[in-house]
Structure formats: C-alpha cells, structure tokens
Amino acid sequence: MWRWAIFVPHPPIIIPEVGRGEEAAAVKTIEGMKEIAKRLKDELPDSLIILTPHHAMGRGLHVICANQFKGDMGMFRARNCRLEVDGDPELASSLAEYMESKGLPVSRSKGRLVELDHASFVPLYYLNRTWGTLSKVVIANPLGLDYEESYTLGKFLRRFDANDKNLGIIFSGDLSHRLIPSAPAGYHPRAKDFDAAVVRAFETSNAEELLSLPEDEIERAGECGLRSALAFLGMAEGEPISVLSYEGPFGVGYCTAIWMPTKAAKGGSSGVESHPYVRLARLSVEHYLKTKQVLDPSQAFSLSPQVDLWSKRRGCFVSIKRLDGSLRGCIGTISPVRENLASEIIYNALAAAFEDPRFMPLSEEELAGVRFSVDVLSDLELVASVDELDPKVYGVVVEKGLRKGVLLPDLEGVDTVEYQLEIAAQKAGISSLKGAKIYRFTVERYEEVEKDL
C-alpha cells in the first residue's frame, strides 16, 4: 500500500557538509525538504522506491536490484558525509516484472553492494536526519522512457501491489538548469517558463500541459526532472498535490512537493473530502434540488476555479453510489459535447442523479447517504488486438454499426478482457464481436471519501 510520494530536487550543495554556508542561498528548498521529512516521520514505509535520473540507465525503466546501497559526498568536498542503506532486491524484481507485464520497456542490473548516486543520496540524507533511520531502498532510472511512458509509469506505479508492504516513493529531479547567466548549463531567457509549467502542473495535479510541451522548450530548459515529474503526476492521478517550495538559486530550479493518497474512513467521519471535480458534481446536484435550475457557470467558477476545468474539453462519467458501494446512478460522455470540462461535469452529474433510467430521480434526503465520483476520459484509441487491453488500466468502447457500448476500467468483479468486452457489448445490444471496432481509453478517477476523525 502506498503511504506517500514526494518530488524533490537533489543539489548536493543543500547538504551543510557540502555547502559550508553556501546552502543558505537555497533556504526555501531546505525548509521544504525538512517539512517533508517532518510530515512523514509517522508514515515510515517498509520500503522506499527512488526514481532518479542520475544512476545507471538502460533500456526503458532501469531497475537496480541490490542487497545494499552505500555512498558519500566525496565528489563534493565531503567524503565523511556517508550513508548506508539496505536494498530490497525482492521488491525490485517484483517492480520490474510488474512493469514488464504492463508493456513498459524495462531493463535491470544486480549487485550486492551498489553505489548511491547523488540524486538518491540528497533526499535520503534529509529523511535520515529527521527519522534517524531509513527503510529498505529500491532505485530505478526512468531516462530510457519517453515522456508519455513516464506518465504511464506513474499510473502503473499507483496500481503496483507489494502485498502487505507499506511503500513510499521519491521522485528525484531538478528543473531548469538555465535560469541565470551563470547557470551550469548556460542561460536561456525562457527557461523559467518550463519551471512555471511544472509548478502549475503540480498545483492543479494535471499533466496535460507538460505532455504537450514542445521539444524545443524542454531542450532549452536543460532539465533532468521532467520524467520524474510526469511519473509523480501519473501516480497522483489528479488527487491534490501540495507544493511546498520553489526557487531557482544557482541558476537551477528546485521544487519540493508531496502527495498522500486519499484514505477511506476508519470507523467514523466528519464529512467528506474530495477533488474540485467531485465537489463540482455534488454542488451541481445540490443546487438543482434546491432551485430546480442548472448551476450557472459563473457561480461554478467562483467555487471551483481550477484552471483546467475551464480550459480543456474532455468526456467524463459521473457516478453516484450508496455508502454500501451499490450504484445509484451513472451517466457520462465518451467524447466532449460541452464547451469545457466544468460544463461536462455539471450536466453529467445532473443526468446521473435524475435521468439514469435504471433508478428513480435522486431526492434531497438521499444526498447525505451517497458519494460522487468523476472519471475523466482520455481520447479513444482504436486497438488492433485484445492483447492491447487490460481491464484494470483501460476502459473499452465496443462499436458495431450504430450501436456503441462503453465500460469504464478498474471495476470490481471485471477481471478479464473477455468479460469486460462481453459487458460492453451487452450494454449496446451487440450479440457478436465479429466485425465490431474496439477502442480503449484511460481515465483519471476522482472519488469522494470520508474524512478521518
């Protein structure tokens, strides 16, 4: 089970033994690192995965299966600053095998004692200072992945099952290396735009802008952390990310951020907490029950000003479930039909509450006893073979003539591709898949959950 994920920079100069006073120029970053370690002191994982761009690399995701890691800051004037930490080769092998099974390119290396790279050493140093101990470690390098694959890696990581182990993950990466004329990689006047895009992506928990960055904009940044940032965003899956700091001392951009998964209730609640998408869905229904009017977009904006709600168009499904998990309504659009995602959510929420033909319209008395979720769909992708499907990762659309059936991914009880396609076809009244077109899509799922007392 995942306990947390963090995105952190890795400049050796923020280690006092290395900086020798110069680290004071990066005080925001140091405070961010200390704050992360403090917040996580009571959330120590059994094992820790580190995604670093500076260790050994190979084809695709390169996973290092080691019994022990050891390193020092000798290259940076501080040989007496040392760390030793046990590896978790069993977890490393499981991680590599899981990613291979999902179709990601993976390579691996083994060793009894492997050197720590500085991008792993720096965050471990700050965690160790506060915790006084370190969990077992797995190190992997994502540089062999492209940007889309890095984002997908994060999504797959979110679903990675380590049996009974509690896990944490460090996404290590610096941002632009070209912020000022004296920067280590030279200067570019627009390099700061790259850093601003990454921070915006974290603040909105949305990777869309980063995935659409032109190659020349990435190149002029001289970054080493984009793949880590995309994997971090993929893992959060739209759930809130807390950005703790950003600054650009020494001409390099440093950002610290933390994500902790939303937790289900444990025996009691004081209400619900949710992503802005889900708050908007509930608000739309509450407003209609009270006024019999569709929520006005300007009013919705004042309550949910998240930029991507108003700037992008996506299909989405709104689901309503009772507290026992049984369905109370679900309506959605495979492709966008409204002017923006906010309007898509508003109208689909109303349809799920009042127009699902399987149920009576939702009443105001029922509101406290139901929970909303929103699934935002990617573009449809035509598949050539069922081997390209996975019911835990991809939803499907089965189309034959004028009939079209859709089924969302990761549904309880839907464990095989065959069963997923069967249900989708049945929903559309398609009796045979022969001659049918099959499309796949991914979703970003946002759910309303109980707050812990």
Side-chain angles (χ1 to χ4, degrees):
M1 182 178 75
W2 290 106
R3 304 300 292 269
W4 46 263
I6 57 177
F7 181 90
V8 293
H10 48 247
I13 198 169
I14 66 172
I15 293 177
E17 293 92 328
V18 174
R20 302 180 188 182
E22 292 182 62
E23 71 274 11
V27 65
K28 289 182 180 178
T29 301
I30 292 171
E31 289 305 310
M33 301 288 274
K34 289 179 177 178
E35 177 64 20
I36 283 173
K38 180 181 175 182
R39 288 194 191 188
L40 300 179
K41 190 172 184 180
D42 296 326
E43 298 284 348
L44 267 64
D46 299 316
S47 293
L48 183 58
I49 296 173
I50 305 175
L51 214 66
T52 164
H54 289 302
H55 215 298
M57 66 174 290
R59 174 180 172 272
L61 178 71
H62 187 74
V63 181
I64 300 159
C65 307
N67 295 87
Q68 190 175 36
F69 293 95
K70 183 178 181 180
D72 61 52
M73 288 283 98
M75 289 181 60
F76 305 96
R77 309 179 298 174
R79 188 165 298 282
N80 290 330
C81 183
R82 300 189 178 100
L83 280 177
E84 291 185 25
V85 60
D86 289 335
D88 191 338
E90 181 182 325
L91 178 64
S93 295
S94 296
L95 176 67
E97 289 167 6
Y98 177 78
M99 293 303 167
E100 285 176 328
S101 75
K102 293 300 180 185
L104 272 187
V106 176
S107 56
R108 65 187 89 186
S109 57
K110 296 181 180 180
R112 293 197 60 81
L113 178 62
V114 174
E115 190 76 14
L116 280 172
D117 65 304
H118 73 276
S120 302
F121 189 104
V122 173
L124 288 176
Y125 172 92
Y126 272 92
L127 294 179
N128 189 54
R129 283 183 69 180
T130 299
W131 297 354
T133 186
L134 287 172
S135 309
K136 291 182 177 181
V137 166
V138 171
I139 292 178
N141 187 333
L143 282 185
L145 301 174
D146 63 29
Y147 302 126
E148 286 280 356
E149 288 172 333
S150 299
Y151 182 57
T152 302
L153 167 65
K155 287 182 170 289
F156 288 155
L157 279 167
R158 181 71 182 267
R159 291 162 175 78
F160 174 57
D161 182 8
N163 297 320
D164 295 327
K165 286 187 177 180
N166 290 314
L167 301 178
I169 185 165
I170 298 171
F171 295 96
S172 182
D174 293 341
L175 303 186
S176 174
H177 289 55
R178 295 173 175 169
L179 296 177
I180 60 176
S182 60
Y187 172 64
H188 196 290
R190 292 191 59 190
K192 64 183 184 298
D193 297 341
F194 172 84
D195 286 16
V198 173
V199 173
R200 276 196 303 274
F202 288 171
E203 290 174 339
T204 60
S205 196
N206 190 317
E208 194 167 303
E209 182 179 2
L210 297 187
L211 288 170
S212 61
L213 284 175
E215 190 63 41
D216 62 339
E217 187 168 339
I218 298 170
E219 191 69 31
R220 66 177 173 243
E223 52 75 37
C224 72
L226 180 56
R227 288 172 177 81
S228 290
L230 286 167
F232 180 50
L233 287 160
M235 188 164 188
E237 290 193 326
E239 291 181 353
I241 291 170
S242 297
V243 176
L244 303 181
S245 68
Y246 170 78
E247 62 182 342
F250 320 117
V252 181
Y254 306 142
C255 180
T256 60
I258 183 170
W259 164 81
M260 302 184 78
T262 306
K263 297 178 181 177
K266 299 176 182 177
S269 72
S270 56
V272 295
E273 57 185 356
S274 55
H275 188 274
Y277 293 179
V278 189
R279 291 201 298 271
L280 181 58
R282 176 177 283 274
L283 174 65
S284 303
V285 173
E286 290 176 344
H287 181 82
Y288 188 85
L289 283 168
K290 291 176 181 177
T291 68
K292 302 303 178 187
Q293 301 290 322
V294 177
L295 184 68
D296 182 82
S298 62
Q299 184 179 359
F301 181 80
S302 68
L303 294 165
S304 292
Q306 190 161 327
V307 173
D308 62 339
L309 274 168
W310 309 93
S311 62
K312 72 178 180 182
R313 300 181 71 235
R314 298 279 289 276
C316 74
F317 276 71
V318 176
S319 301
I320 305 171
K321 292 184 178 180
R322 301 179 183 91
L323 297 184
D324 64 4
S326 61
L327 188 65
R328 182 59 180 83
C330 179
I331 297 290
T333 44
I334 301 171
S335 300
V337 298
R338 304 284 174 183
E339 62 270 25
N340 52 43
L341 179 56
S343 294
E344 206 81 33
I345 291 172
I346 290 170
Y347 281 92
N348 287 346
L350 296 180
F354 308 119
E355 298 173 12
D356 190 325
R358 298 168 292 180
F359 305 97
M360 294 293 291
L362 190 75
S363 67
E364 190 166 359
E365 291 73 26
E366 290 181 271
L367 270 177
V370 297
R371 296 294 175 257
F372 288 75
S373 65
V374 176
D375 288 277
V376 181
L377 277 63
S378 68
D379 293 334
L380 299 184
E381 180 183 358
L382 184 65
V383 301
S385 166
V386 294
D387 293 338
E388 300 176 46
L389 301 177
D390 181 337
K392 294 299 181 185
V393 177
Y394 299 108
V396 294
V397 175
V398 177
E399 182 181 71
K400 191 171 184 179
L402 299 177
R403 296 179 182 271
K404 187 180 292 186
V406 60
L407 198 68
L408 296 172
D410 201 18
L411 298 179
E412 186 175 355
V414 183
D415 299 319
T416 67
V417 171
E418 291 75 18
Y419 189 41
Q420 184 186 40
L421 293 174
E422 178 185 337
I423 296 173
Q426 286 178 353
K427 291 175 70 173
I430 298 172
S431 59
S432 170
L433 292 176
K434 185 176 181 180
K437 292 180 179 179
I438 300 172
Y439 300 85
R440 72 179 187 181
F441 60 88
T442 58
V443 301
E444 297 168 9
R445 180 163 291 163
Y446 308 91
E447 297 177 302
E448 209 171 36
V449 297
E450 302 289 335
K451 286 182 180 177
D452 292 344
L453 283 174

